[in-house]
Amino acid sequence: MGVLFIKLCKLFLVCLFTSYSAICGRHNCHLCDERSICDCSAEELLQVPNLPMKNILVLNLSFNNIEIVTETDFKVWTELKALSLQNNKIHSIHEKAFRFPKKLEYLDLSYNQLGNLSPSWFNDLVLLQHLNILGNIYRTLGQGFIFQSLGGLKSLKFGNPSFKAISNKDFVGIQKLDDMELHGSHLKEYEKGSFRHIKHISHAILSIHGPFENDGVLIRKMLKDLSNCTTHLELKDIELTLPNSVQSFSEICHAGVKKLTFRNVSLSDEAVDDFITVTINSGLSYLGIEDSRLSGKGAWKKASKIKPALKALKLEAVNIKNLEITNFYAFTSFLDFRNYLHSLKRVTIIDSKVFLIPCLTSQSFQSLEYLDLSGNLLTDYAMKESACHGNGTWKNLQYLNLSKNSLKFLGQLSQLLTNLNKLVSLDISQNTFFDVPESCNWPPNLQYLNLSTSKIQLLTPSIPQSLHILDLSNNDLTVFTVKLPLLKELYVSGNKFMQMPDGRLVPSLEVLSITGNKLNTLNMKNIKAFEKLALLEAGNNKYVCSCEFVPFMQKDITHMVKLNDSRQDYVCDSPSVMKGLLVWDIHHSVFECHMMISLAVMCTGILFVFFIIVILCYKFHVLWYLRMTWAWIQAKRKPTTRVNNIYYDAFISYSERDSEWVENYLVNELESTQPPFRLCLHKRDFLPGKWIMDNIINSIEQSQKTLFVLSKHFVSSEWCRYELDFSHFRLFDENNDTAILILLEPIPKETIPKRFCKLRKLMNSQTYLEWPEDEALQPIFWHNLKLAIKREEFNLR
């Protein structure tokens, strides 16, 4: 029982792990975007995953480990239009696996392990336009009629190293193809007429590895069928090296093939000689040779003996790219083939080590309109010979590309091309023109000139005035000083410009590209100088994100021109705190951008606040309170007055306006008494030169009493207030009764200012003497006043 239990536990764990793996395989892809495109490639999926999105349009499951496609894998994705399953390990697909995504237009099953193809897969895919089943392990295309329901198919790619045979039933149902590609390196059987079921093929590619002549009958049958329905035939991965290896091409000489391309082929002199002989009078209008190898020295003796009729020549375009010629320096000129060149209108020879075209050969290009010799070994001396020293060769030439050669002298080259009256486009980029002459002679109708990546440091008036498009990208230019009135497009990216070109020099400019320079700003003045500018590319510069530049970029520039590059290209280079930030993410503060105005406003605000404070202080007597507080503090610091320091019987506090009553009545009456009272008056007893506050404090402290002559003038006097406050301070601080109030005239309490709060308190807490207007009552007033002064026990007299 224990052993059985252990086995059951192991079985349960295995099942659990298997289920977990399956679940993980179905749920670890969530890479869907808002366009309903899901990219689940290279996720190590074991099965078609379950995705949360149901309206998927494009699903990429390539480069995973899916082995089986079940009936329900695509059940929920009824809107699916493109499905990529290439580079998995699929060996089994259910008959009805594609029944639900009936709107599928693109299906890629390439490079899996499908050994048998079933027509049932495609029965419901009536909208399918592109099908790729390359690189599997099937030997045939099934039992036939596999594509019978795919009447709308436009692109078909099939075949693999195991593919052996093509049957007459295989292409039934296909009406018309834009592209068909067959990989059949080990193809052994082809049933005659199989390709004829397809009524038209725009571009057919045959990839048949190895020597082309090994099975001439098979190839000839295929070419014969294809030639009747194909416009462009491309042959890949073949060898044309042995004698009679091109005889199969005789089938296409008088058929419908107009374009023939060889890609990754090996050619010999004998094969080329035979090919020219076989196809010279064919209907070919285009011949391309790309990524191929040519052995020999160009000794094509058979072809050189043929004199083709000029009217019979249909070949108009030759495209040679990356042709490796083993003995290219020993290669002969094409003088024996001058008669074959008269009909050519487009000649492209790129990256093929061409170092010279003899003058006589150049003169044979009587119909030439387009010539591309880029990526070769042409020098200035070789161009003299190729252009026949400027004596009327290439009279119909409109487009010339001499980029990526070894040219150095711009003046000499322009002189060689002067007589090309129809030339409108010249590309001489990626050469080395250190020095640009002051003047050059150019073709009169030249409109496009490409001088990019040519190490040019300075422009001169030698640039042709007829230009509509000028490309000066990736040079060492710092300024643009040439006036080009007809120029519409200017490309100066990758230079060292620190400021925009002057728009007045190019009044017709519509497109400007100045990315990757050293511009530090753009402004309205720069842009307005270009009257017709519509598109601008100015990213990847050294922008200073100033208060003028940032608002202009964020608000104004889009109203003036369209920025043709990404906003991500506009990045701040300075100041340092903003370096690396996008211009559109910068937000300056008002103080940063308007410092003078901000300082002025701030200073104005401070002055205003100060002014308000002054007004408030004046209204609420704040300064007076402050001064009094300081005086109190000073008084506090002084030692307490002793009795033997009292010199006066009374200090008289009064307003200067009441001085007549004080001097004529009060002082006269008190000082004439026997014995007389000693009175302290500020006019008479204050020490000259001493601070008035000190005089007031000292006088009050040295007086037994303080007489306050109260009147309307008193309550309006600042100094009377000081005297009253110090007396009040002494009254409460020393706990004695020193203040005597004489009311010279009636004063309603509500008329007393608020700052005389202590006077209010004194009038409420102490009895005051009222000066009577009636003379009969005045003796009583004087008697009471004298008694009030004598109330203190201590008397100085």
Side-chain angles (χ1 to χ4, degrees), residues 203 234-238 261-265 288-292:
H203 186 193
E234 180 176 333
L235 300 173
K236 294 174 57 178
D237 311 318
I238 61 174
T261 299
F262 295 100
R263 191 184 302 274
N264 191 27
V265 300
I289 303 175
E290 301 182 18
D291 305 319
S292 299

Side-chain angles (χ1 to χ4, degrees), residues 745-760:
E745 58 183 348
I747 304 176
K749 292 182 179 179
E750 60 272 10
T751 63
I752 300 175
K754 292 182 179 179
R755 66 179 185 272
F756 278 83
C757 55
K758 294 184 179 180
L759 177 59
R760 292 169 179 265

Side-chain angles (χ1 to χ4, degrees), residues 301-346:
K301 298 179 180 179
K302 293 180 184 179
S304 63
K305 296 178 181 180
I306 301 175
K307 303 298 181 182
L310 296 180
K311 293 182 179 180
L313 292 174
K314 303 295 183 181
L315 191 63
E316 294 184 351
V318 172
N319 188 354
I320 300 175
K321 293 182 181 179
N322 194 25
L323 177 62
E324 179 184 346
I325 303 175
T326 307
N327 300 309
F328 73 98
Y329 279 116
F331 207 77
T332 62
S333 65
F334 295 96
L335 296 180
D336 293 334
F337 304 97
R338 286 182 294 169
N339 293 330
Y340 297 100
L341 306 179
H342 292 308
S343 64
L344 292 178
K345 294 183 178 181
R346 298 177 62 89

Side-chain angles (χ1 to χ4, degrees), residues 355-371:
F355 61 92
L356 178 67
I357 299 178
C359 177
L360 291 176
T361 302
S362 293
Q363 290 176 340
S364 301
F365 293 108
Q366 297 180 5
S367 303
L368 195 63
E369 298 175 356
Y370 180 98
L371 178 60

Side-chain angles (χ1 to χ4, degrees), residues 613-652:
I613 292 174
V614 169
I615 293 175
L616 293 175
C617 289
Y618 176 79
K619 183 175 181 180
F620 296 103
H621 308 282
V622 174
L623 293 178
W624 192 91
Y625 283 112
L626 291 175
R627 283 186 288 181
M628 283 302 305
T629 301
W630 174 249
W632 281 348
I633 294 173
Q634 293 294 99
K636 275 281 190 178
R637 291 179 178 177
K638 289 187 176 183
T640 304
T641 303
R642 296 181 181 179
V643 174
N644 55 4
N645 287 333
I646 299 298
Y647 297 110
Y648 301 103
D649 290 307
F651 171 75
I652 303 176

